[in-house]
Amino acid sequence: MSRIGVALMAAALLVYLAVAIWLAVMFISVGTPVSIGMGITLLVLAPIGAWALVREMMFGFGADRLGRLLDAEGGMPPVETELTPSGRIARADADPLIARYTAEVDAAGDDWRARYRLGVVQDAAGRRKDARASIREAIRLARR
């Protein structure tokens, strides 16, 4: 199901780029300073948006691949605490779990599995930014 969503996003990205470039050319062809500025802005911003989307898609593919591999190995972190109705770890339980998994990362060195597990626990604790950084590092370590 998620692969269909990714394919739809990729198709939408191609349509977006085509329309943005077409609009940029149309704006520039009008010839006024404002329209030329808008056209140049579109020519600059459209590829930046495409780059950001492609980067996020690559992150998603890498995280999914490592998650499947770790799950197949039986290495995903177990549910050790009560979860809130939204599926998050309760705040009182989050800090000790994160500290424990951080210690495992420190002890494991360059093991992507420990870093990925830390990211999963951070995400479950609602620390999305830290989780993304940990999983990005796991992806980087796994490539070596």
Side-chain angles (χ1 to χ4, degrees):
M1 184 67 174
S2 64
R3 300 229 184 245
I4 293 171
V6 169
L8 289 174
M9 288 299 293
L13 173 63
L14 291 176
V15 170
Y16 163 74
L17 284 173
V19 169
I21 291 170
W22 176 75
L23 282 173
V25 170
M26 297 304 287
F27 277 129
I28 292 170
S29 70
V30 170
T32 65
V34 171
S35 66
I36 291 171
M38 289 175 68
I40 290 171
T41 301
L42 271 174
L43 287 175
V44 170
L45 290 180
I48 291 172
W51 168 81
L53 183 60
V54 167
R55 186 167 183 246
E56 287 304 306
M57 289 171 56
M58 303 257 315
F59 170 78
F61 286 137
D64 181 59
R65 180 180 56 82
L66 291 183
R68 288 176 193 258
L69 180 60
L70 191 60
D71 192 37
E73 294 174 352
M76 289 297 269
V79 177
E80 300 177 31
T81 180
E82 291 289 322
L83 300 178
T84 64
S86 65
R88 300 266 183 232
I89 298 171
R91 285 185 186 214
D93 298 330
D95 289 335
L97 277 174
I98 290 172
R100 191 176 87 215
Y101 281 94
T102 301
E104 287 181 18
V105 165
D106 293 340
D110 287 344
D111 182 23
W112 67 265
R113 291 164 182 84
R115 181 68 66 170
Y116 193 91
R117 281 190 288 272
L118 174 61
V120 169
V121 171
Q122 289 169 326
D123 185 57
R127 298 180 183 177
R128 180 68 45 103
K129 185 177 179 181
D130 294 335
R132 290 178 67 81
S134 293
I135 292 176
R136 273 193 205 287
E137 181 65 14
I139 292 168
R140 188 186 70 74
L141 291 171
R143 284 190 188 136
R144 285 201 216 161

